Amino acid sequence: MNKVGLITLGCKVNIYESNAIEELLKKEGYEIVDVSENCDIFIINTCTVTNTADQKSRQMVSKCRKLNPFAIVIVMGCYIQTSKNTNIDADIVIGNGNKDKIIELLNEYKKEKEKKIAILDIMQLHKYDNLLVSTYDHARAFVKIEDGCNQFCAYCIIPYARGPIRSKPADMVIKEINAIVNNGFNEVVLSGIHTGKYNDNGLKLSDLIERIINETKLQRLRLSSIEINEIDDKLLYLLENSQIIASHFHLPLQSGSDTILKLMNRPYDKAYFKNKIAKIRNIRPNISLTTDVIVGFPNETDELYIESKNFIKEINFSYLHVFPYSKRNGTKASLMPQVNGIVKKNRAKDLNELSLTLRENYYKTNLGNIEEVLFERREGLYLIGHTSNFIMVKVKTNLDLIKQIHKVILVESNKDVVIGELI
C-alpha cells in the first residue's frame, strides 16, 4: 500500500503544503503517482474560498472513492476546517494546523482501522507548522513564510479557514532558502496567506528580506502578493538598493471605488493606493504592477464599476486577475444585496479585455530592453521563462538553460509572450 495520489485544490499555499507532505511521504517510502493509477492512498488538499470550491472538494472525494473503493482516503485543508464535515466519506480527516501530522495519523489508521479526525480550533492556533520543502518540479521555488489572516474582508472566508496570523521563524526561512539554492534554484517566491503581515518576534517582512539578501546567495527574490499598505519605507529602500528583489509587485486592489472598498473592509482608499504606487515607480519606473479585481461585488452599481475601471486605467497596471464576485456563505458580503449574474459576467469580460490591452502595452514599452530571464521550460525549439518584471519570454535555442538566469534582448511582442534573443 505505497502508491499515493495527491490532489491539490486552491492556492499556492496549498500547493506548497502539498509539496511538503509529498516530501514527508517519500521519506517514509511512499511513491507519489498520478491519481489515474491504481492508488492505495488518496490525499485531497481542499479549498473553501467559494461555495463552488467547497463543491469541488466534495466531488473530488467521491471521484477518488470510485477510482478505488478499497483505497485509504485522506481529506484535509480549508474545506474541512470551515465545514467541520466529519461525516465526509474519508478515512482520515485533517483540518489546517495538523497537516504535518499526516504520517502519524496514517500509521494509526493502518493499525487500528478506525476513522481518524484531527481538526483544531483554528482561531486559537498561534504556532507555525513544521512543513518545509527542499526541492521542486519547476524552475521557481516557493517558500511559505506565513499562515493565517486577521483582515476579515467582507467577501472572504479564509480567516476562518486559516486562523490568526503566525509566521515561520526567520532562521528557518534562511535555512530553507539556502537549501533551495544548494539544490540549484535561482529564484524564490515568498508566499503566505497574508505575506505582508509576516512578523517573527518583531522582525517584519522587510527585515526578513534584508536577511535573505545578506545571508543567502539567492539571485532573485519575488513576493507572491503584498497589500499596498504593507510596503513600508524599509522595503522601498531595499527595492532601491538591491536588484535581488524582482521588479514585480502583485498588489491586490479588489476595487477602484472607495465606496466598494469600504464595503469590502479593505484597509486603504484610492488616494493612499495611488500615492504608494507613485513612490514605488519613483524608485523603479519600469516595475511591473499586477493586481486582483473583483467585479460585481454587492452594491456595485454601473457608476461604481466605471469609477473602478477608470482608476485601474489611471494606475496603469501591467496585468489584471479579474474575478466575478462569488458568494461565500458565512461572510458579511453574502448578506448584502447581490449583483445580477449576467452583469457580473459582462463586467468581467470588459475588464479582461482591458487587461489584455494593458499587458500588450506594457510588453511593447519593454521592447529593446536587455532583461535577465529565468528559463522554466522548453516548448519545441524554444525556451520559455520570465524576466524580473514578469514578462513571459520565448527564446529559440538548443542550449539547456532550464533553472538558469540569462540576459536576453526583447525584440518582438506577440500577445501574451515576448520573443527574445540570448546575449
Side-chain angles (χ1 to χ4, degrees), residues 46 48 75-85 93-99 118-125 157-163 166 328:
T46 63
T48 193
V75 185
M76 61 170 59
C78 292
Y79 166 68
I80 290 299
Q81 188 64 54
T82 55
S83 69
K84 305 293 191 297
N85 185 4
V93 180
I94 307 173
N96 287 324
N98 274 326
K99 290 179 179 178
I119 305 175
L120 297 169
D121 180 354
I122 200 73
M123 304 310 290
Q124 301 302 317
L125 186 61
I157 197 68
I158 296 305
Y160 302 99
R162 286 284 177 171
R166 49 208 185 274
R328 180 55 173 87

Side-chain angles (χ1 to χ4, degrees), residues 254-312:
Q254 307 303 3
S255 175
S257 161
D258 280 340
T259 300
I260 298 298
L261 287 172
K262 189 172 182 180
L263 287 172
M264 287 178 165
N265 193 36
R266 298 295 287 168
Y268 51 81
D269 58 18
K270 292 193 317 185
Y272 181 94
F273 199 100
K274 183 178 177 180
N275 181 60
K276 187 62 69 75
I277 292 291
K279 290 182 178 180
I280 295 168
R281 284 186 168 140
N282 185 54
I283 292 169
R284 290 199 189 178
N286 196 40
I287 192 169
S288 173
L289 301 176
T290 58
T291 195
D292 295 332
V293 183
I294 297 173
V295 294
F297 186 79
N299 293 295
E300 185 186 62
T301 62
D302 289 342
E303 291 76 18
L304 294 176
Y305 168 69
I306 294 300
E307 177 191 352
S308 182
K309 181 180 178 181
N310 288 338
F311 186 71
I312 290 166

Side-chain angles (χ1 to χ4, degrees), residues 337-355:
Q338 303 294 305
V339 174
N340 178 274
I342 295 175
V343 172
K344 288 191 288 187
K345 184 177 179 180
N346 289 337
R347 290 175 185 172
K349 181 182 178 183
D350 186 40
L351 277 197
N352 277 317
E353 290 173 354
L354 173 61
S355 178

